[in-house]
Amino acid sequence: MKIVIAPDSYKESLSAMEVATEIARGFKAVLPDAEYIKLPVADGGEGTVQSMVDATGGKLVNLKVTGPLGNQVDAHYGLLGQEIAGQRTAVIEMASASGLHHVPPAQRDPLITTSYGTGELICHALNNGVTHLILGLGGSATNDGGAGMLQALGVHLLDGQGTPLAPGGAALIELASIDLSGLHPRLNQVQIEVACDVNNPLCGEKGASAIFGPQKGADEIMVARLDKALAHFADITHLAGLTECREVPGAGAAGGMGFAMLAYLKAKLRPGIDIVMQTVKLSEQLKGADLVITGEGRLDSQTLHGKTPMGVTREANKQGIPVIAIAGCVSDDANILLEHGIEAIFSVTPRAMALEQVLASASDNLYHCAVNIARLYRLGR
């Protein structure tokens, strides 16, 4: 009997590998002779680097970079432990260097926050010899169109006097010219994929500033100012001979980082779960399996939209393998997942508990839940 365990993390509680380990431990207590494949997965958001490093036997690279406010912050990226199609792969979460968690609420100001640190992570990975780069967007504190990232990679963004632009989205309104001569030379030798699960354009009422600016500290006046600055950035980018892509779905992701990746780095934007599943070779790992177990911290109707459990379920269903999902909690609308390929869903929380207690006892609760599911599965066989 072969059982594949492919969960996402339980946020603030367990990593995806820790989730897989506890599920495997519970099942082994009941079905000790089965073969267990632990395959931590993610959807491109928080936890993607750790999941992919764990799944491939890779390593984390820790370094200090420039944070959103210009101060030094601790950040990391992952080097995967196996080559993918002959490529050395690095995985970066933008939030690690440029995330909202680096900015205290009282100091959140997307007029000045910069994505420079994300560019420093990319530079370090390039200097480490990677030939394949995966960048996860989301959780950013910035609205600078990826300008800071580009500056860290050697792009000169200059005002009318030939002076480099100051950090932040507001400064983009002063952009007069772009000099690409200093762009990191290894970028031409690297395949770049961007895990992007939003379809917002760069500008306008559905754009980066209007939709995501307020959560980063922007009021109505700031939103209008930032939107105008991003539109100007796109205009000058196009005048510099680069691809016009401000309306491409996803260009507005992460404060316009999607735009910079498309226009300047020729990256491909793809759903995060698709990138991760392809990279960890999920389809191959599923071959011959009798059961697949997946899950995440919370199962609800939003799980249908690009989240890990549905991506895993989709691949398992192609091979006719039943899927069970286990979550930290299950919402009232989660039963809709039963109509989309998941055979059964379970919550690990055994009773009404305070959140702090739920998080602290997650490992034990998950283990005991897995034991009971395994006993039921054995009974069914």
Side-chain angles (χ1 to χ4, degrees):
M1 183 190 306
K2 177 180 177 181
I3 299 176
V4 175
I5 305 171
D8 203 338
S9 63
Y10 288 10
K11 286 187 176 66
E12 299 183 61
S13 178
L14 301 171
S15 71
M17 179 58 86
E18 289 171 333
V19 173
T21 297
E22 290 303 321
I23 293 173
R25 190 166 71 94
F27 263 73
K28 283 180 181 178
V30 180
L31 301 168
D33 297 327
E35 175 190 4
Y36 295 95
I37 305 296
K38 293 186 293 184
L39 195 66
V41 188
D43 56 21
E46 180 185 350
T48 295
V49 168
Q50 188 67 60
S51 292
M52 296 182 74
V53 165
D54 287 340
T56 63
K59 67 176 182 179
L60 291 178
V61 178
N62 298 291
L63 61 156
K64 287 189 177 294
V65 299
T66 304
L69 294 176
N71 56 312
Q72 291 290 289
V73 300
D74 293 317
H76 66 267
Y77 66 92
L79 286 174
L80 300 194
Q82 62 189 38
E83 290 194 350
I84 311 299
Q87 294 181 311
R88 180 169 169 80
T89 300
V91 185
I92 296 173
E93 291 174 16
M94 182 182 176
S96 180
S98 309
L100 202 57
H101 65 283
H102 287 306
V103 185
Q107 298 180 45
R108 291 178 181 174
D109 182 357
L111 295 175
I112 62 172
T113 48
T114 177
S115 59
Y116 196 92
T118 296
E120 290 177 307
L121 290 181
I122 294 173
C123 267
H124 197 276
L126 293 173
N127 294 336
N128 251 329
V130 302
T131 55
H132 179 207
L133 178 65
I134 297 171
L135 176 65
L137 302 186
S140 76
T142 59
N143 203 105
D144 68 350
M149 178 270 298
L150 293 172
Q151 289 171 317
L153 289 172
V155 176
H156 299 291
L157 304 176
L158 308 172
D159 64 17
Q161 286 71 49
T163 303
L165 293 188
L172 291 172
I173 200 67
E174 305 296 332
L175 181 64
S177 63
I178 299 168
D179 179 1
L180 299 173
S181 62
L183 191 62
H184 198 297
R186 292 210 65 252
L187 284 166
N188 288 328
Q189 307 163 36
V190 176
Q191 175 193 358
I192 302 177
E193 295 182 288
V194 177
C196 177
D197 292 305
V198 302
N199 57 9
N200 303 77
L202 181 64
C203 304
E205 62 180 14
K206 299 292 185 181
S209 306
I211 300 301
F212 305 114
Q215 70 193 45
K216 303 173 186 183
D219 59 25
E220 188 173 340
I221 294 175
M222 293 165 68
V223 164
R225 186 177 171 188
L226 288 165
D227 191 59
K228 184 177 180 181
L230 287 180
H232 180 70
F233 182 35
D235 289 340
I236 302 301
T237 296
H238 186 52
L239 288 174
L242 297 173
T243 304
E244 171 59 75
C245 58
R246 75 185 78 190
E247 296 296 330
V248 174
M257 177 65 82
F259 171 79
M261 300 303 293
L262 287 165
Y264 289 81
L265 305 188
K266 310 303 180 186
K268 293 182 179 180
L269 273 56
R270 296 176 57 200
I273 184 61
D274 291 349
I275 294 175
V276 174
M277 291 193 304
Q278 179 181 338
T279 304
V280 302
K281 301 180 180 179
L282 177 65
S283 181
E284 295 178 29
Q285 298 274 16
L286 292 176
K287 289 179 180 177
D290 299 281
L291 176 67
V292 173
I293 304 172
T294 187
E296 60 181 349
R298 176 183 173 88
L299 285 172
D300 56 29
S301 60
Q302 292 303 306
T303 301
L304 289 172
H305 306 292
K307 298 295 187 178
T308 293
M310 287 314 303
V312 171
T313 298
R314 185 174 69 242
E315 290 300 311
N317 287 173
K318 289 177 183 178
Q319 299 185 35
I321 308 167
V323 178
I324 291 173
I326 308 175
C329 67
V330 176
S331 72
D332 292 340
D333 61 0
N335 278 345
I336 193 172
L337 304 177
L338 302 177
E339 302 172 15
H340 294 269
I342 294 179
E343 294 293 335
I345 56 178
F346 296 88
S347 170
V348 306
T349 308
R351 61 187 180 280
M353 305 169 70
L355 178 59
E356 294 80 6
Q357 189 178 1
V358 169
L359 298 177
S361 59
S363 292
D364 287 341
N365 289 342
L366 180 53
Y367 167 76
H368 290 301
C369 180
V371 167
N372 280 288
I373 295 172
R375 292 177 68 86
L376 186 62
Y377 182 71
R378 184 179 62 183
L379 179 64
R381 290 176 65 88

